[in-house]
Amino acid sequence: MTARSTRRTAARSRIAAVGAIAVAGTMLLTACGDQTKNNDSSGPDKAGTSAGASAETSSPADLLPAKIKAKGVIKVGSDIAYPPVEFKDKSGETVGIDPDLADALGKELGVEFQFENGTFDTLITGLRSKRYDLAMSAMTDTKDRQEGIDPETKKKVGEGVDFVDYFTAGVSIYTKKGDDQGIKTWADLCGKKIALQRNTVSHDLAKAESKKCTGGKKIAIEAYDNDLEAQTRLRSGGADAGSSDFPVAAYAVKTSGGGKDFQLVGEQVEAAPYGIAVAKGNDQLTQAIKAAMDAIIKSGEYDKVIAKWGVEAGAITEAKVNGGS
């Protein structure tokens, strides 16, 4: 996934038409490991480090770890149910912003990016277990995730990950069309029910806002494995509102029921970078991905993908490592 803090936080974006979400595009804020220890030991993207220096003087393909070069494949963990960021089309093919960017990165690196479907809140675990080399799933780069901190308890629960940032998105609220029930801000959700994806920024925001509610009117939160399930709940009348990353919410508003099911309410909040996650210690792979991302930005391939999906307002001009806060 929606910003998927995982934004999509401690954890969640997850088409055919170029203008699928262009109707709301101008609202988007512009800023809503299978490796071993023989990788470069220098820290990722730090000024003066050997990794940073090599990223400037070598081609992206030269920076890849030897094991990945030999396999010719980068395994990508992704929650493939988050249109238009990643989803299955009618033929069952994985499509979207992330797969298209991955294809461009693969050409730059001389390897194939293979997407493997998984629930969003298990992707980081998949990196640690080396099931995946990367996680690319509209995942928001946050300090908590970098450091392996649970955003709610603030306790360390893992070693964290490094991110290569590649897009910027905020979080939006949407309701059934013609029935916003006076909801314009997160505070307006007190006493109401919201459906959303588990372990996302939307989830974190709802929990935080509920604690502020007075008079016993807390927010009733229904959290689902993926955003499409949350949309179904709202569509059926089982919730008062839904929330997800702006590109995903805008796409749902544009396409669900031919544009008759949902409407956006209020302004998007919490604009932050999406990042490609890499397990800690895999600095060589991190630098290769960063260099490849910078290369496709410079060549114009990045802009082509962003324009194809109508999300130009979230584009970046330079890849950063661990740029989230």
Side-chain angles (χ1 to χ4, degrees):
M1 242 215 54
T2 290
R4 275 173 154 213
S5 41
T6 54
R7 199 182 154 146
R8 285 174 36 140
T9 319
R12 141 342 188 248
S13 225
R14 280 63 228 105
I15 154 172
V18 171
I21 64 173
V23 292
T26 56
M27 295 170 60
L28 185 58
L29 299 180
T30 57
C32 121
D34 187 16
Q35 304 303 312
T36 60
K37 293 183 180 180
N38 64 354
N39 287 340
D40 189 338
S41 60
S42 59
D45 200 39
K46 295 179 181 178
T49 64
S50 59
S54 63
E56 296 178 358
T57 58
S58 304
S59 72
D62 291 337
L63 299 174
L64 275 176
K67 282 191 174 182
I68 287 184
K69 285 184 180 179
K71 291 189 301 182
V73 170
I74 291 178
K75 293 183 178 180
V76 183
S78 185
D79 177 6
I80 308 174
Y82 211 59
V85 186
E86 56 262 326
F87 63 104
K88 299 283 189 180
D89 65 12
K90 292 181 179 179
S91 68
E93 182 181 357
T94 299
V95 297
I97 298 167
D98 283 355
D100 282 354
L101 288 175
D103 284 346
L105 293 173
K107 291 175 183 177
E108 196 67 41
L109 292 167
V111 296
E112 179 186 358
F113 280 60
Q114 290 183 352
F115 278 69
E116 297 186 10
N117 197 20
T119 56
F120 186 73
D121 55 4
T122 65
L123 298 182
I124 296 300
T125 302
L127 285 176
R128 288 201 298 265
S129 67
K130 300 183 179 180
R131 177 179 178 180
Y132 314 124
D133 300 308
L134 307 172
M136 189 174 187
S137 194
M139 188 176 288
T140 299
D141 175 4
T142 68
K143 289 293 184 185
D144 283 345
R145 301 195 70 187
Q146 294 168 23
E147 298 170 3
I149 303 296
D150 183 286
E152 190 169 6
T153 66
K154 296 303 178 183
K155 293 182 178 179
K156 191 168 180 64
V157 293
E159 61 184 4
V161 296
D162 290 319
F163 288 100
V164 178
D165 300 339
Y166 65 99
F167 190 74
T168 301
V171 176
S172 293
I173 300 171
Y174 57 98
T175 67
K176 293 187 71 173
K177 193 162 188 177
D179 186 21
D180 66 16
Q181 301 187 58
I183 299 171
K184 300 297 182 185
T185 69
W186 283 87
D188 296 329
L189 290 167
C190 292
K192 301 186 185 301
K193 183 183 292 185
I194 188 169
L196 40 71
Q197 184 173 5
R198 183 178 296 108
N199 291 329
T200 64
V201 167
S202 293
H203 196 183
D204 291 340
L205 285 172
K207 289 186 287 187
E209 192 62 46
S210 186
K211 292 177 181 179
K212 302 176 186 177
C213 295
T214 60
K217 293 184 177 181
K218 300 295 185 181
I219 300 173
I221 303 169
E222 291 191 357
Y224 294 87
D225 284 342
N226 64 63
D227 195 70
L228 296 179
E229 292 176 354
Q231 290 179 26
T232 298
R233 181 63 167 163
L234 176 60
R235 190 182 299 111
S236 68
D240 301 304
S243 176
S244 55
D245 290 359
F246 172 78
V248 178
Y251 181 80
V253 167
K254 176 67 176 179
T255 61
S256 181
K260 297 179 180 179
D261 288 345
F262 304 131
Q263 65 184 36
L264 290 169
V265 296
E267 300 294 330
Q268 62 173 315
V269 299
E270 298 288 318
Y274 284 171
I276 300 171
V278 187
K280 289 288 187 184
N282 294 323
D283 304 326
Q284 193 173 342
L285 178 57
T286 299
Q287 290 301 328
I289 298 299
K290 179 187 184 304
M293 187 65 70
D294 281 332
I296 67 171
I297 291 172
K298 183 177 181 180
S299 71
E301 289 302 310
Y302 173 89
D303 286 340
K304 290 179 182 178
V305 171
I306 298 301
K308 172 183 175 181
W309 295 100
V311 292
E312 294 92 333
I316 61 168
T317 57
E318 178 185 8
K320 293 183 179 179
V321 173
N322 295 334
S325 59

